[in-house]
């Protein structure tokens, strides 16, 4: 997201469950809201509704084991075949720059606060290693408890818990289930593709 869902390398990566957190718990079933299953899958609005409802489930949020050093996560039953994760963020951790390829998604902060940095640009899907960004593409938003956002395909962002003392918890959902996560490094205006992860790397 990540690291589950989210992407998560080191002390930095939504919503990919693969690299990052140091502790995980078995998958649980989150019964929040209706999980209408349709052949085309849930809409971005339905994913956002799901993560908001899940974030309001105090028992679910309290069930997540937290670790002082690394992110923790639990996989949830998302609506309509989506991939969903409950993620704990120790102070100072984040995802690093990444996208979720062809999946759309949504996430909501359930406790603490998260900062999202994103790029208002659609990256080429394949065939590049280095990209120079234009001016004015950077966006930042603070997401306090109860606040969330949805995003479309190839959304490039990083998510951070900038607190030096408070854990954050968030809920993430993606559809279709993440086919891959691309991880990037950034130096000034230059974005570099560093790694592509696939489900077998984090499940």
């Amino acid at each position: 997201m990540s690291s589950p869902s989210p992407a998560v390398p080191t002390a930095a990566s939504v919503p990919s469950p693969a690299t990052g957190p140091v502790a995980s718990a078995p998958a649980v079933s989150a019964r929040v809201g209706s999980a209408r299953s349709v052949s085309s899958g849930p809409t971005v609005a339905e994913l956002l509704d799901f993560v908001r409802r899940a974030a309001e489930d105090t028992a679910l949020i309290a069930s997540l084991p937290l670790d002082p050093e690394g992110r923790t996560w639990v996989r949830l039953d998302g609506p309509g075949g989506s991939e969903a994760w409950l993620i704990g963020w120790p102070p100072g951790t984040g995802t690093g720059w990444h996208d979720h390829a062809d999946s759309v998604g949504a996430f909501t902060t359930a406790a603490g606060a998260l900062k999202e940095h994103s790029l208002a640009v659609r990256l080429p899907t394949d065939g590049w290693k280095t990209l120079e960004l234009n001016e004015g593409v950077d966006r930042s938003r603070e997401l306090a408890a109860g606040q969330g956002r949805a995003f479309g395909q190839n959304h490039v962002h990083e998510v951070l818990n900038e607190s030096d003392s408070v854990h954050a918890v968030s809920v993430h959902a993606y559809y279709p289930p993440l086919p891959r996560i691309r991880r990037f490094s950034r130096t000034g205006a230059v974005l570099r593709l560093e790694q592509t992860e696939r489900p077998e790397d984090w499940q």
Side-chain angles (χ1 to χ4, degrees), residues 32-145:
V32 291
S34 61
R36 180 171 64 90
S37 178
V38 293
S39 59
S40 60
T43 65
V44 171
E46 289 170 327
L47 293 178
L48 185 58
D49 180 65
F50 170 82
V51 297
R52 283 176 170 164
R53 289 174 181 267
E56 294 171 355
D57 185 335
T58 55
L60 175 66
I61 302 309
S63 73
L64 178 67
L66 301 178
D67 186 281
E69 301 297 330
R71 297 198 308 161
T72 54
W73 62 93
V74 172
R75 186 156 187 171
L76 307 176
D77 291 334
S82 62
E83 178 174 341
W85 298 91
L86 176 63
I87 299 176
W89 309 71
T93 58
T95 62
W97 288 98
H98 65 281
D99 73 0
H100 308 100
D102 297 326
S103 297
V104 299
F107 70 97
T108 291
T109 304
L114 293 173
K115 171 70 73 67
E116 182 200 39
H117 299 296
S118 61
L119 299 178
V121 61
R122 186 177 178 87
L123 300 181
T125 54
D126 290 297
W128 65 279
K129 289 289 186 181
T130 303
L131 193 66
E132 186 165 353
L133 302 170
N134 293 327
E135 291 184 9
V137 300
D138 286 285
R139 303 287 184 271
S140 292
R141 67 180 72 196
E142 184 93 14
L143 297 168

Side-chain angles (χ1 to χ4, degrees), residues 141-154:
R141 67 180 72 196
E142 184 93 14
L143 297 168
Q147 296 180 321
R149 67 153 306 171
F151 51 85
Q153 297 176 332
N154 304 300

